Amino acid sequence: MLRTPPSLITEEAALSVAGAGLLRYAMGPALIGAGADATVVIVESGDNPKVSGVQDSVWVLLRGDRIPELHSRFEFRGALPIHVFARLEEGCLPLGIAQCRAMPSAPANFNRAELRLIQPLTRETLDAVRPVPSPGPVPGVDWIDLVESDPIRALESFVLGWFPEAQSAADETTANELDNLPEALAAFHRLARLRPAIHRFIDPVLKKPRRASGPLGDRLVFAMWNGAGKDWSIPWPLHVPDGADPRVWFTEDPDDPNPETTLEEEPLSRFLLQFTLNGAMSGAPYGARTYCMPTARLDALWNLLRPVPLSPFMPTGAAERFFAAPGLLAQVSGDEDEAIVGFSALHRGTLTPLLEHGFRWSRFGG
């Protein structure tokens, strides 16, 4: 059954829902009304990823200056409801009641809140309050042609296209240290000076590799995962010919006296591309993820996506294979019977056409 879109109301009428004793607060561009009956949140319309406003059909983000006195009103399952509105040119559009799912634990630090709408927005309402702009030019996928023959150039081509900012940044790795590193790792650090975004991933390659030892001998740790709960390294010093591509060791619980260490399937140059693709997906401004579905449902995607010829990426616990299309990255985990697909994009408009496939989405930012 189609839902009738709610009617626009004035800002005063929206704030009146809060009840008697109304107090007004500004958190970033959002207006918050606190009254005896409810809390009213009025956000600006527009496409504002990771900024105060509607993020997708269920999530609304608040972010701004600290307002300690509002902390108790946003507690999960608080005593008073939270009514959310979006401000349009013609008036305020009711979006429904929300629950706060994330915020600072200390009242003094209350400067953000992640609100989840109890009733998801219809596509019509979502397009009205968070319109989808045209993606414009997007990076291509010619870099995939280089993965087999020259993975270092493939990495450079991908990063320079996916991260458009052209700037230099201070690097803790000196020129002399780069001379001592394998070419793939040295090339990564040179690239990071041009595109420092690749050092800002949640789990980045270390700006300064560090020496360590373990059951297999001395090693050079160049990347860590999950707060150093896992790391990747190469034997150190290297006992391979100049220009060789060293193998990568993956170590779980590296602080354990007897950590478990295994060899990655990909050598260093190809592993760095894997690692960067995963970081780019996690850090992209827009994303989507399907529920588990029959693998046969993915058939329509193969006309859109090109496979990246790398082995499955394993640290997440699922064997995830990478795919790409212009401006779009995808990870597929599953087997011959069932699969889950995650997508990441630089522009919201690159995700929106995926709705045509009729997938069930656990999250959709397009």
Side-chain angles (χ1 to χ4, degrees):
M1 178 185 297
L2 294 177
R3 286 187 288 162
T4 303
S7 300
L8 295 174
I9 62 175
T10 65
E11 180 178 298
E12 290 73 18
L15 289 171
S16 71
V17 175
L22 177 68
L23 296 175
R24 302 183 185 213
Y25 302 87
M27 181 174 280
L31 174 64
I32 300 174
D37 299 330
T39 302
V40 170
V41 172
I42 303 176
V43 297
E44 296 292 333
S45 60
D47 183 32
N48 304 306
K50 301 180 181 180
V51 178
S52 285
V54 175
Q55 304 296 299
D56 56 31
S57 63
V58 295
W59 289 104
V60 178
L61 178 64
L62 296 178
R63 180 174 288 168
D65 294 333
R66 296 174 181 173
I67 309 177
E69 51 268 45
L70 286 179
H71 185 274
S72 61
R73 286 182 168 266
F74 287 87
E75 292 177 346
F76 182 59
R77 300 190 187 282
L80 298 177
I82 301 171
H83 293 263
V84 183
F85 297 81
R87 183 182 288 108
L88 304 178
E89 289 184 5
E90 303 84 2
C92 292
L93 183 66
L95 303 184
I97 296 176
Q99 292 178 330
C100 184
R101 293 302 182 90
M103 66 175 183
S105 57
N109 296 329
F110 182 71
N111 62 354
R112 62 175 178 82
E114 296 178 25
L115 309 180
R116 184 177 179 88
L117 296 167
I118 294 175
Q119 179 67 52
L121 302 178
T122 65
R123 191 71 210 185
E124 180 183 16
T125 300
L126 185 60
D127 286 343
V129 301
R130 194 223 55 189
V132 179
S134 172
V138 294
V141 293
D142 290 346
W143 56 271
I144 295 178
D145 297 327
L146 300 170
V147 173
E148 299 278 21
S149 61
D150 195 341
I152 295 177
R153 281 187 59 207
L155 172 64
E156 292 173 345
S157 180
F158 166 71
V159 169
L160 292 175
W162 191 263
F163 301 99
E165 79 273 19
Q167 64 185 63
S168 297
D171 195 313
E172 297 176 13
T173 307
T174 67
N176 288 338
E177 289 173 321
L178 291 181
D179 290 340
N180 295 326
L181 294 176
E183 175 54 26
L185 194 53
F188 182 94
H189 286 287
R190 288 194 294 268
L191 185 60
R193 290 174 175 173
L194 298 176
R195 298 295 191 269
I198 63 176
H199 270 325
R200 296 197 291 264
F201 296 154
I202 296 174
D203 296 290
V205 168
L206 299 177
K207 290 184 178 180
K208 194 174 184 68
R210 61 177 179 82
R211 298 284 296 272
S213 60
L216 299 182
D218 291 339
R219 57 198 182 98
L220 187 71
V221 177
F222 65 86
M224 296 191 300
W225 187 274
N226 193 25
K230 305 174 183 179
D231 69 31
W232 287 268
S233 60
I234 53 176
W236 199 259
L238 285 174
H239 299 292
V240 296
D242 289 343
D245 204 3
R247 299 300 302 273
V248 175
W249 292 350
F250 172 55
T251 302
E252 295 204 53
D253 298 321
D255 292 331
D256 190 285
N258 296 295
E260 180 180 350
T261 298
T262 57
L263 278 174
E264 286 284 348
E265 186 170 339
E266 299 290 1
L268 180 61
S269 62
R270 291 166 60 88
F271 175 81
L272 287 170
L273 177 57
Q274 271 188 325
F275 199 82
T276 302
L277 288 171
N278 186 76
M281 287 203 65
S282 299
Y286 303 100
R289 189 170 181 82
T290 71
Y291 284 105
C292 188
M293 59 184 170
T295 302
R297 288 278 286 112
L298 304 183
D299 288 349
L301 290 177
W302 308 140
N303 294 327
L304 168 68
L305 299 172
R306 286 189 60 183
V308 181
L310 294 168
S311 60
F313 189 63
M314 303 296 292
T316 60
E320 296 187 322
R321 294 187 178 274
F322 293 103
F323 297 79
L328 183 69
L329 295 176
Q331 282 178 321
V332 178
S333 58
D335 53 31
E336 295 179 355
D337 299 319
E338 294 182 321
I340 296 174
V341 189
F343 297 92
S344 293
L346 296 177
H347 301 278
R348 196 184 299 279
T350 308
L351 288 178
T352 307
L354 296 172
L355 290 172
E356 299 172 3
H357 296 288
F359 299 144
R360 290 183 61 243
W361 301 98
S362 61
R363 176 173 62 92
F364 191 80

